[in-house]
Amino acid sequence: MTRLIFLGPPGAGKGTQAVVVAGKLQLAHISTGDLLRAAVAQQTPLGVEAQGYMDRGELVPDSLVLGLVRDRLQQPDTANGWILDGFPRNRSQAEDLNALLAEIDQQINQAVNLDVPDPVIIERMLARGRADDNEAVIRRRLEVYREQTAPLINFFRDRQQLLEIDGNAAVEVVTDRLVSALKVTA
Ligand code: AMP
């Protein structure tokens, strides 16, 4: 059973890699960013509440995101394993996830960190042109990443669950690195 977390700064290519690796290994791809964008598009109460945070590049409140993840992990397509892409994003979400997984009797195999230098990240984010990808918001998202999400690298390293991958290469090259590293360590 393969259950993975994808860490890494915004623009590191983790969403792209999560989709490709999930396809190759037949895992459910669970992106909290996608789930939130869908809620915003449908203007559900959760989406309406989340939208302002997303537009500013801030994290959406933990309780909203945890509810989405909890529901998603109960769905049948997760039975063969999953990739959590973009969750957890801070220490409290990491602890909530541990508690949730204990409750549903599941465990993480690895937390994958895609390592990409800052200038490459900014260039990639400006190129993709999403609504929350203007330069001021990109800067804020990177700050939030550094302050809140980057400390999770050590959190998972301390638990011997960290897999570090050099993400500064073409998409296919990074995928190959990931899949072979997962084969060895999964
Ligand atoms: P992403 O597509 O993962 O870059 O997420 C886009 C935006 O959704 C982020 O900038 C946050 O506002 C929000 N978001 C996604 N995942 C989370 C999370 N785990 N916790 C809080 N906010 C999140």
Side-chain angles (χ1 to χ4, degrees), residues 32-33 36-37 54 58 60 65 86-87 89 93 130 141:
T32 46
L36 287 165
R37 278 184 290 276
M54 296 171 76
E58 304 288 342
V60 171
V65 184
F87 183 91
R89 280 285 231 278
Q93 291 182 6
R130 227 165 62 185
R141 293 175 70 204

Side-chain angles (χ1 to χ4, degrees), residues 21-168:
V21 172
K24 279 184 188 279
L25 306 183
Q26 306 206 314
L27 308 171
H29 170 233
I30 306 177
S31 155
T32 46
D34 286 352
L35 293 171
L36 287 165
R37 278 184 290 276
V40 170
Q42 289 162 24
Q43 291 287 291
T44 66
L46 184 149
V48 171
E49 196 174 342
Q51 185 161 21
Y53 296 96
M54 296 171 76
D55 288 345
R56 292 191 301 274
E58 304 288 342
L59 294 184
V60 171
D62 295 340
S63 58
L64 296 185
V65 184
L66 184 69
L68 286 174
V69 172
R70 175 186 292 276
D71 290 348
R72 188 65 187 83
L73 285 178
Q74 321 277 335
Q75 288 167 29
D77 67 315
T78 60
N80 189 42
W82 41 254
I83 295 179
L84 265 181
D85 165 13
F87 183 91
R89 280 285 231 278
N90 59 29
R91 178 71 188 234
S92 145
Q93 291 182 6
E95 282 161 6
D96 287 344
L97 178 64
N98 270 341
L100 169 61
L101 292 179
E103 213 179 279
I104 59 178
D105 202 21
Q106 295 192 8
Q107 277 171 0
I108 300 162
N109 301 100
Q110 309 231 258
V112 175
N113 184 44
L114 284 183
D115 214 7
V116 179
D118 273 8
V120 178
I121 286 170
I122 294 179
E123 199 181 301
R124 286 187 185 172
M125 288 177 85
L126 284 172
R128 73 186 181 186
R130 227 165 62 185
D132 58 352
D133 278 352
N134 70 63
E135 201 163 342
V137 178
I138 289 176
R139 281 191 199 294
R140 183 62 194 140
R141 293 175 70 204
L142 281 172
E143 262 170 36
V144 168
Y145 169 78
R146 276 195 210 98
E147 286 163 13
Q148 302 192 48
T149 312
L152 294 182
I153 296 172
N154 280 334
F155 178 91
F156 288 109
R157 186 182 285 125
D158 289 346
R159 290 161 182 250
Q160 267 107 48
Q161 288 174 319
L162 186 70
L163 176 62
E164 291 206 83
I165 301 286
D166 176 2
N168 189 17

